[in-house]
Amino acid sequence: MTMFVRILAAWLVALPGVAQAIPAQQLRDHQAARAARTQGKILPLREIERRVVPQMRGAQYLGFDYDPDTGIYTLKFLRDGAVIWIDVDGRTGQVIGRSR
């Protein structure tokens, strides 16, 4: 039982750091997307969403990630308990990949 308590305690101590890392990455994604949009390199997120979200009927839109190295938005949806990722070229707005 003592070993279990130690592992649980270590996990609980590490949890806040992990939880903070996720929003930090999301903030960097948002900042990179904003900078690229301001420079005219990619379409605004709202334009990407306007094109893609209506195509995902019956799915809940969860948010997006942005890869500044490739200029690709990844929009995330949830439908029937499954996560669906849609990759969109930020320059053209074209869907270039889809999971599931």
Side-chain angles (χ1 to χ4, degrees), residues 12-28:
L12 290 173
V13 168
L15 187 59
V18 172
Q20 290 174 353
I22 294 170
Q25 180 60 47
Q26 288 175 339
L27 178 61
R28 284 191 294 276

Side-chain angles (χ1 to χ4, degrees), residues 15-96:
L15 187 59
V18 172
Q20 290 174 353
I22 294 170
Q25 180 60 47
Q26 288 175 339
L27 178 61
R28 284 191 294 276
D29 290 347
H30 286 267
Q31 289 171 335
R34 180 179 215 162
R37 188 191 78 236
T38 301
Q39 296 167 4
K41 294 180 180 178
I42 62 170
L43 295 169
L45 172 62
R46 298 295 172 236
E47 177 62 22
I48 299 290
E49 291 172 335
R50 186 188 67 74
R51 294 177 184 195
V52 177
V53 173
Q55 297 176 23
M56 299 299 295
R57 289 184 182 90
Q60 177 186 0
Y61 179 50
L62 301 175
F64 78 99
D65 290 325
Y66 174 73
D67 183 345
D69 296 329
T70 62
I72 294 175
Y73 286 99
T74 301
L75 280 65
K76 295 177 274 189
F77 297 87
L78 181 64
R79 180 187 293 145
D80 300 327
V83 177
I84 303 165
W85 291 273
I86 306 292
D87 293 329
V88 181
D89 184 321
R91 293 174 295 277
T92 65
Q94 295 284 334
V95 173
I96 56 174

